[in-house]
Every structure is written in C-alpha cells, then in structure tokens.
Amino acid sequence: MVAARITVNGKETPIAPAAAHTTVLDFLRERGLTGTKEGCAEGECGACSVLVARPGVNKPTDWVPVNACLVPVAALDGQEVVTSEGLATAGEPGTPPTLHPVQQEMAVRGGSQCGYCTPGFICSMAAEYYRPDRCAHADSGPDATDGTDAEHGPNGFDLHALSGNLCRCTGYRPIRDAAFAVGAPTDEDPLARRREQAPPAPVATEYDQDDSTFLRKNTLAETLRSLRERPDAVVVAGSTDWGVEVNIRSRRADCVVAVDRLPELRELRVASDHIEIGAALTLTEIERRLDGTVPLLAELFPQFASRLIRNGATLGGNLGTGSPIGDSPPVLLALEASVVLADADGERTVPLADYFTGYRQSVRRPGELIRAVRVPLPLSPVAAFHKIAKRRFDDISSVAVAFALDIEAGMVRKARIGLGGVAATPVRALATEAALEGRPWAAGTVEAAAEVLRGEGTPMSDHRASADYRSAMLGQSLLKLYAQTTEAVPS
C-alpha cells in the first residue's frame, strides 16, 4: 500500500503523521496555510472553504468547494486541493504574486473587512468563476427578461454559490459587487486549463495512525467484505454529518470506511419504470445530472443546507443517519422511493416507508450499506416541497412537508405526503392521504384534509419551534399547495 499523500497548491505532501481523524482544515493550518479558517467547525460558515478537483459534468474536471473543517484529510489521499493561497500566480523572484481575478475584485471593491471570512468566500467564488456553463447575460436584476434575477449577475455568477459562506461584518453588498464583476477565465489561466484533464483517480487507502484506521477500497465488494470484518466501522461519504460529530462532540472511531468514490455507488440510471440514484453521488451532482427531470427533487436541492454542504452530502448519508429532520426523507417518501441495501451476501430493496424503525434507527443491518435510491416512474404531476425554517437557506427545518399528487378531471386519484420534524422518524401522512384520495381537489376537501394533517405525527416543542406551531404549519402547507396549484390543475 502506497503511503497516503495529498497534493496542495501543486505540491505533493505526505499525510502522515496526522491522526486518522484529522480534518483537512487542521492539516492545512499545521502546514502554514492559515488562510483556511475555523469559524463554526460544523460546515455553516464557510471560512474553511477549499477547492478540490472532482469529476466534472461539462468538462473532465470541476473545481468543487468543500468545507475543509468536515473532511478527514485521509479522505483526500491521492487528491488535489487548492487553497486561497494557491489561487494567486507566482511572480518573478523578489516580486509579489499576481492576485487571482476573484481576489483582485474583492480587494478593489471592498469585499474584505475584518478578513476572517475572506479566504473562504474567495474559494467559493473561484469555484463559481470556473463553472464551465457560467455565461454572461446582456441584462440582469429584478426586471431582467433573460432569465436572470437579483441573485444572478450579468456575468452569470450565481450568488447561491456563496450560500454556505458567512460574513459577520455584514459585508455582503461589496462581496456581491465583486462576484458580479469578475470576467471569464483566460486561456492562460492554469486552473482553467486544469479542467481539461481528468481529476486524480480514487486510490485505495489504508491509513493507520494512533490505533485508528481510515479505509477506502477500490470496489464495492471489497468494501462490503471490510464491513463484515469490521461491523463497528463508521461509513462516510461526504462526512458532512460525521465531521460534526468529530469536531463538536469529540467522537472518534477505531475504523472509518469511505464509500464516496466507489464507482458502484456513483451511477445514475434512468430506466422505463424507475430512476436509480447512486448513494454516493453528491447532491450537487444529482441536481446537475437530473437537470430538473424530477421536479420534487429540484425543489429540494436549493433548500438543502448550502452549496458547500451539497458538494459533499449524499442521499445515502442523509438516509443513513436516520435523522427525523433530514430534508431528503420527506421528499423521497412522497416519491415512494426505495433504498437498495447491500452487504457481502447480496442486495435487498426496502421501501423507504418501511426503512425507519425509530429515532435514528432503521432496518439496515451491521455490515450493510445503502447502495442506491430508486424512484418509481411515472412521477405525480403535482408536487411541492415546503420547508419551514428560520432562514431562507442553509438552515435546519422546523417542519418539512413534501407532496406528490395525481389529479385527474378535478379528482385526487393518488396522494403521497412525506413529513419531517413531527415524529421520531420521517413519516408518511397516511390519514391525510386517505382524506384526499377519491375526492375532488376543491376547497372543502382541502380544508378538511388540512385539519387531518394538523394531527399527523407526534410533534414536540424544542428550540426551533413549539408543537402547536409545527401542527399549524402542517395544515397550512396543504392550504398553500391548494392556493398555488388551483389555477394550474385542469378542472
């Protein structure tokens, strides 16, 4: 086994003697790259953002920003990372480096105040700068006629790329000005040219340090055999959940098994009767590959945490944690999705409605992992995802409701409703579904069903919302759906 190594700003360096749980953030700072900062240690502020070379959608390589505070450095064995220090171009000996265009715009437009968050913003902005399908528009702003809006600049810059970056000095206006001012990469730009070559291939890793092991195998079969031998191992993909446990709760594992680069978990297939989504595809990859063909998922993605988190988070991880407030389970329940579970003996398919058994518990057995999520076709034509939270973006939901309805000739032929945040597990609103099916899609039906929906689940009061508020929001969500869809549904 080759010693674990990582390439940072073009220079290869060994990972040892870092502990197996060491994050990319700590690894970089210990080597003098202090532009990468720790703000929250749980992926909410973006001060630790760095760029990683990943398989691209429109080009061989995409520069993808991730939270360095969450990812174990061993997970980037053989991979290529660029920090804020690596964006500038070195000058002649004795002369300062030339600022990257993003850095230059941030400097001249006052985008850096105290400077703590600035390197993270710059890395996230650089990723958007290098997005291959970003293109300039002739018009932008709230009155634009070319599809742009106040959150998309005339240069095609999508401000949602910065949704995971927090500026505590409230310097967002000059940061936005800088983002909307950057041009296109030049032909001589080394990071732009780098997109034309394939990213580093995943490498098998067995990193042992301080009685802890980080494993990455080449194939699913090898991984499943390892999990049979080590059923206590922690399985990680983007590490967006486990990284928080390590940082905030000081949890450690004797063995961590990475599945994020397994080819068998990174396929997306569209068959005649279902769509199969690999459990290790990131949410960003799924969003771009589906390109709106599953409208309910398309509504989910922009509301799921931040772009930085979605660049690492996976459906397999979100379901694997079993959290009752995860954003994807209500949507997948409404879509009648199933999970494909695999172990060393084979596979089995379980409807998601039967998957959760208790608070953060499921039917998944020791040594078993989620290989894929299957969404049956055809899709229900009326669909919506309502996330009730304190912030528009990058927040944990108080209540999440997903609807998928078949309405024909003014009658509800089929209703599927998934709920999150109102019980110990994500649940289907079975009583409300029954109150809708076979009845007219009319105000009386919806008002009666909304009253039923208010009583679904067992909501509790906590620091995010009271039980009464959660119940009220359930009923209100159905009334909102009716108001939004009445004109669009044929009578």
Side-chain angles (χ1 to χ4, degrees), residues 381-435:
V382 178
F385 176 61
H386 296 164
K387 177 174 178 174
I388 294 92
K390 297 183 184 297
R391 298 192 301 262
R392 285 181 64 204
F393 299 109
D394 197 10
D395 201 4
I396 296 173
S397 63
S398 299
V399 179
V401 188
F403 300 96
L405 308 178
D406 289 347
I407 302 174
E408 299 175 6
M411 300 290 291
V412 181
R413 302 301 182 189
K414 178 181 173 184
R416 295 293 181 266
I417 305 172
L419 307 179
V422 296
T425 68
V427 295
R428 281 261 303 276
L430 298 175
T432 307
E433 293 173 2

Side-chain angles (χ1 to χ4, degrees), residues 237-475:
S239 202
T240 55
D241 186 76
W242 176 246
V244 176
E245 295 292 315
V246 170
N247 293 337
I248 304 301
R249 299 179 178 86
S250 298
R251 289 191 59 190
R252 302 291 183 262
D254 293 336
C255 181
V256 171
V257 176
V259 299
D260 57 315
R261 310 317 295 167
L262 289 177
E264 299 93 335
L265 271 63
R266 291 184 47 76
E267 298 175 350
L268 195 154
R269 297 188 298 105
V270 180
S272 60
D273 60 347
H274 71 274
I275 298 172
E276 183 169 294
I277 304 169
L281 284 170
T282 68
L283 300 186
T284 296
E285 290 173 317
I286 299 169
E287 180 181 22
R288 290 178 176 171
R289 293 191 190 187
L290 288 178
D291 194 23
T293 56
V294 182
L296 196 47
L297 286 175
E299 284 196 41
L300 162 70
F301 292 134
Q303 301 181 68
F304 191 114
S306 67
R307 178 62 56 81
L308 279 171
I309 292 295
R310 295 197 297 275
N311 287 342
T314 63
L315 288 182
N318 204 225
L319 297 176
T321 65
S323 172
I325 54 173
D327 283 341
S328 72
V331 167
L332 295 173
L333 284 169
L335 290 171
E336 297 186 280
S338 299
V339 290
V340 181
L341 301 174
D343 64 14
D345 294 325
E347 293 185 352
R348 59 185 178 126
T349 302
V350 177
L352 188 62
D354 300 329
Y355 174 76
F356 301 104
T357 59
Y359 179 71
R360 290 189 176 269
Q361 296 178 332
S362 70
V363 299
R364 190 162 54 90
R365 299 185 288 249
E368 197 170 41
L369 56 75
I370 301 172
R371 183 184 66 75
V373 174
R374 285 181 183 163
V375 175
L377 297 175
L379 302 170
S380 296
V382 178
F385 176 61
H386 296 164
K387 177 174 178 174
I388 294 92
K390 297 183 184 297
R391 298 192 301 262
R392 285 181 64 204
F393 299 109
D394 197 10
D395 201 4
I396 296 173
S397 63
S398 299
V399 179
V401 188
F403 300 96
L405 308 178
D406 289 347
I407 302 174
E408 299 175 6
M411 300 290 291
V412 181
R413 302 301 182 189
K414 178 181 173 184
R416 295 293 181 266
I417 305 172
L419 307 179
V422 296
T425 68
V427 295
R428 281 261 303 276
L430 298 175
T432 307
E433 293 173 2
L436 288 171
E437 290 181 344
R439 293 175 172 81
W441 184 241
T445 300
V446 172
E447 289 168 3
E451 188 60 36
V452 176
L453 187 53
R454 291 185 184 97
E456 297 270 22
T458 54
M460 60 180 288
S461 296
D462 59 20
H463 65 284
R464 292 192 182 92
S466 68
D468 289 343
Y469 177 81
R470 286 186 162 102
S471 294
M473 289 301 98
L474 289 178

Side-chain angles (χ1 to χ4, degrees), residues 142-225:
D143 300 320
T145 58
D146 61 356
T148 63
D149 55 41
E151 294 173 335
H152 296 79
N155 57 356
F157 194 103
D158 182 358
L159 280 184
H160 292 99
L162 307 182
S163 63
N165 293 85
L166 174 67
C167 171
R168 296 189 183 276
C169 299
T170 64
Y172 293 110
R173 185 197 55 75
I175 291 172
R176 182 194 62 186
D177 291 346
F180 286 178
V182 295
T186 66
D187 293 338
E188 293 76 29
D189 187 321
L191 294 180
R193 293 201 308 268
R194 176 65 186 82
R195 299 176 302 176
E196 306 300 331
Q197 289 88 42
V203 298
T205 302
E206 186 170 341
Y207 184 70
D208 294 293
Q209 198 74 25
D210 300 333
D211 299 322
S212 295
T213 301
F214 185 95
L215 286 178
R216 172 181 279 114
K217 297 296 186 180
N218 283 323
T219 67
L220 176 60
E222 292 175 292
T223 301
L224 294 174
R225 285 196 293 270

